[in-house]
Amino acid sequence: MLSLIQNEWMKWWTMKKSKIVLALYVLIAVGLVIITKMNDFDMTRSEYYTLVSTILFGLLGIITIVFTAETVGNEVRYDTMKHLLMSPYSRMMIYFSKLLFSILVMLGQFIFIAIITYAASFAFSEAGDSIQWRDTVFSLVSPVFTIFMTLFFSLIFRSVGMIIGFTVLAQFFTSIAGNVLLAFKPEIAKWIVLMHLDWSMYFKGALTYGTAEPMGTTLTFSVIFVLAHILVLFGGSILIFQKKSYL
């Protein structure tokens, strides 16, 4: 499996977009430092870190969809999937290599964002609240779920554009529906999984603190609910990949 992951890494790193994405993270982090300094905005390290990390982790979610969709979609697009399936590796091993690679690439970008944002925050004063690393860790939940969701759709659709479009639209409209229901029917909103991807909402000091109160849910409920959906997507992906013909 290691050789499969190494092969995925070489394909990913040779793409121009991989370097462009990393440069974009740096540009946004540094650019916001320059903008705040030039306009004399009164901002602390914690406020800067929270603002920029929220923006970049949101961007990471979209980029994760693109990169994950391409791990399977490009194999079909360039007609290399059938050659991969004729290799000595089993379908399970091929699927797990793509899953693990997607998680590693996302995790690498996540750590990169946290490091550059933390480093750039030293341009501001340390007054006020300290940086909440707990919220940073909880920010991992959403991109991890996105990977499983995108891989599931990538095994249903053959076009990379369809995979990306359907995943983005599914998250966008489900999120809107969830927020509308949160305002009018919170007892229904709690059954939408996207409402449970931000676990920091259960802790004081977080931007989303109190969101769970109208739904009447707990951290345990959210963890189990998200894991249950991941298992369903994971099981469905394996079943589809085992049965689907790419010849």
Side-chain angles (χ1 to χ4, degrees):
M1 185 185 294
L2 183 59
S3 60
L4 287 172
I5 295 177
Q6 289 174 334
N7 182 55
E8 294 289 344
W9 166 257
M10 287 188 292
K11 288 189 293 185
W12 182 82
W13 187 245
T14 54
M15 294 190 303
K16 288 183 180 179
K17 70 178 70 175
S18 59
K19 285 94 167 178
I20 292 173
V21 163
L22 297 179
L24 182 61
Y25 294 145
V26 176
L27 182 63
I28 292 174
V30 175
L32 286 175
V33 171
I34 296 172
I35 291 171
T36 53
K37 291 296 183 180
M38 288 180 64
N39 292 277
D40 295 324
F41 290 144
D42 186 19
M43 185 175 288
T44 65
R45 284 187 62 195
S46 176
E47 289 171 339
Y48 169 83
Y49 181 86
T50 301
L51 171 64
V52 179
S53 62
T54 300
I55 293 171
L56 293 184
F57 288 148
L59 180 60
L60 174 62
I62 298 172
I63 291 170
T64 296
I65 292 173
V66 175
F67 285 151
T68 305
E70 290 181 342
T71 59
V72 174
N74 278 348
E75 298 282 9
V76 177
R77 178 183 178 185
Y78 297 114
D79 206 27
T80 55
M81 179 63 81
K82 61 184 178 183
H83 299 292
L84 187 60
L85 293 175
M86 288 188 288
S87 67
Y89 302 105
S90 66
R91 289 200 176 209
M92 285 291 289
M93 195 171 292
I94 293 170
Y95 173 81
F96 274 106
S97 68
K98 292 186 177 296
L99 173 62
L100 290 175
F101 171 74
S102 297
I103 292 174
L104 289 173
V105 166
M106 180 277 296
L107 189 59
Q109 293 176 81
F110 185 90
I111 294 172
F112 182 74
I113 289 171
I115 290 174
I116 61 172
T117 307
Y118 179 71
S121 71
F122 280 94
F124 302 91
S125 69
E126 296 188 15
D129 298 328
S130 59
I131 293 174
Q132 293 293 331
W133 294 108
R134 173 204 63 213
D135 296 345
T136 298
V137 174
F138 284 155
S139 296
L140 268 171
V141 178
S142 182
V144 168
F145 179 82
T146 296
I147 287 172
F148 282 92
M149 187 178 188
T150 308
L151 273 179
F152 178 79
F153 288 134
S154 69
L155 295 170
I156 296 176
F157 304 108
R158 302 183 71 89
S159 166
V160 174
M162 283 285 291
I163 298 165
I164 295 171
F166 200 86
T167 306
V168 171
L169 287 175
Q171 289 192 339
F172 179 71
F173 286 113
T174 305
S175 180
I176 290 177
N179 284 300
V180 170
L181 287 171
L182 184 63
F184 299 101
K185 291 287 184 178
E187 66 276 11
I188 299 177
K190 75 174 184 178
W191 298 109
I192 298 178
V193 67
L194 293 185
M195 304 301 294
H196 298 275
L197 299 183
D198 184 3
W199 296 348
S200 64
M201 64 183 176
Y202 293 103
F203 297 91
K204 290 183 179 179
L207 291 174
T208 55
Y209 176 69
T211 304
E213 188 174 348
M215 296 188 293
T217 58
T218 63
L219 177 59
T220 302
F221 178 89
S222 291
V223 171
I224 294 174
F225 197 55
V226 171
L227 289 177
H229 278 77
I230 287 177
L231 287 174
V232 170
L233 291 170
F234 176 65
S237 297
I238 291 177
L239 183 62
I240 294 170
F241 192 55
Q242 290 282 16
K243 301 294 184 180
K244 194 166 185 177
S245 173
Y246 292 94
L247 300 179

